[in-house]
Amino acid sequence: SAVISQKPSRDICQRGTSLTIQCQVDSQVTMMFWYRQQPGQSLTLIATANQGSEATYESGFVIDKFPISRPNLTFSTLTVSNMSPEDSSIYLCSDSGFEAFFGQGTRLTVV
Amino acid sequence: GQQLNQSPQSMFIQEGEDVSMNCTSSSIFNTWLWYKQDPGEGPVLLIALYKAGELTSNGRLTAQFGITRKDSFLNISASIPSDVGIYFCAGPTRYNTDKLIFGTGTRLQVFP
C-alpha cells in the first residue's frame, strides 16, 4: 500500500490569493489524481496528473484556476488560484485511480 | 452521466447494532469499492469487489457485488464507536477505468 503525504494539512487564506498544495507518494506512480470535497459532499475528480505531459481536467475544472505540476513520478502540486469563499473545500490527492490510496487532505478555508 | 446514490444518507445507531447501507447506479459497474473517511482524514479503502454476486468480508465488514452489477451493499456487524465516519462507495468510470466516481456517502454515528 502506498503512503501519500499532503502539505499543508489545512490553511486559511484571503480571497484573491493562491495556495499551492503538495502531494508526495512513497513510490513511483504513473498517474496521480486530485479531488475536491466540498463541505458535506462527496469527492469530485478535478484532474489527472501525468508526468511529462499536461494534466487532464474534468468537466467544470480549468487549468487557469487549478494549475497542476507533475515534475516526477512521486510528486505533484495543485494550485488553487485567485481564491474565493466558494473554493473552501478539502482537496485530496490519490495515486492510482483503481483501489486508490489517498493523502490526508488539505482543508482550505477562504475568507 | 454515471452517478452513484447511497442510502441511507445518515445513520444513528447504538453500539453493538448491525448496520446496512447500499449503493445504486443506473449504469453497470464492473468493480465496486467501499471507502471509509474519518473526520479530518482522506478516504481509506475497506473492500474491493470484482465479480457480480461476490461476497467479501474484512473483519466485521461484509460487502456484496449486486447480481445486476448496478448495486452494492455494505454491512457492519456489532458496531463500535470507531466505526463512526462517512462511508463511500466508488467505481471506475465507464470511459476511463483509471478514474473513480464516488457515491454520495453514508454518515454513520455510533452511540455508546
Side-chain angles (χ1 to χ4, degrees):
Chain A
S1 62
V3 176
I4 301 178
S5 303
Q6 278 186 240
K7 286 196 295 189
S9 58
R10 58 177 61 229
D11 207 342
I12 300 173
C13 300
Q14 296 287 327
R15 68 176 67 200
T17 63
S18 298
L19 176 72
T20 296
I21 302 167
Q22 299 178 6
C23 181
Q24 178 79 50
V25 187
D26 68 345
S27 57
Q28 294 185 340
V29 294
T30 306
M31 287 179 285
M32 294 176 71
F33 299 82
W34 287 98
Y35 291 82
R36 181 176 71 183
Q37 187 177 24
Q38 294 176 302
Q41 302 296 312
S42 184
L43 282 72
T44 301
L45 183 63
I46 297 172
T48 304
N50 299 304
Q51 196 243 346
S53 63
E54 266 196 10
T56 306
Y57 289 83
E58 299 299 307
S59 176
F61 298 96
V62 295
I63 187 171
D64 290 346
K65 177 67 177 177
F66 297 102
I68 287 171
S69 79
R70 183 80 200 276
N72 57 53
L73 291 174
T74 64
F75 187 80
S76 179
T77 68
L78 170 77
T79 299
V80 186
S81 303
N82 188 24
M83 289 183 284
S84 66
E86 293 71 34
D87 294 318
S88 298
S89 294
I90 300 171
Y91 292 86
L92 296 143
C93 65
S94 74
D95 55 353
S96 150
F98 201 71
E99 292 196 20
F101 291 95
F102 285 81
Q104 80 277 22
T106 297
R107 184 179 294 272
L108 170 62
T109 303
V110 183
V111 297
Chain B
Q2 290 177 292
Q3 280 189 316
L4 293 175
N5 297 305
Q6 290 184 243
S7 65
Q9 189 174 5
S10 59
M11 304 179 76
F12 299 85
I13 63 169
Q14 200 94 36
E15 183 177 358
E17 289 183 2
D18 296 342
V19 172
S20 289
M21 61 188 78
N22 67 18
C23 180
T24 61
S25 173
S26 58
S27 52
I28 289 172
F29 279 79
N30 293 315
T31 300
W32 289 93
L33 307 172
W34 283 94
Y35 285 87
K36 181 193 177 201
Q37 186 177 29
D38 289 331
E41 300 291 328
V44 173
L45 182 65
L46 300 173
I47 293 178
L49 301 161
Y50 302 106
K51 280 171 48 176
E54 180 181 354
L55 189 71
T56 297
S57 293
N58 178 5
R60 292 177 297 105
L61 277 61
T62 302
Q64 183 160 24
F65 193 138
I67 200 73
T68 66
R69 294 197 285 158
K70 292 184 178 181
D71 56 10
S72 179
F73 306 87
L74 177 69
N75 296 314
I76 305 172
S77 61
S79 58
I80 59 178
S82 61
D83 291 332
V84 166
I86 306 175
Y87 291 80
F88 291 103
C89 62
T93 63
R94 175 188 306 130
Y95 57 94
N96 185 335
T97 56
D98 291 314
K99 301 182 183 181
L100 291 178
I101 179 172
F102 279 78
T104 49
T106 293
R107 185 180 297 270
L108 178 64
Q109 281 280 10
V110 180
F111 295 101

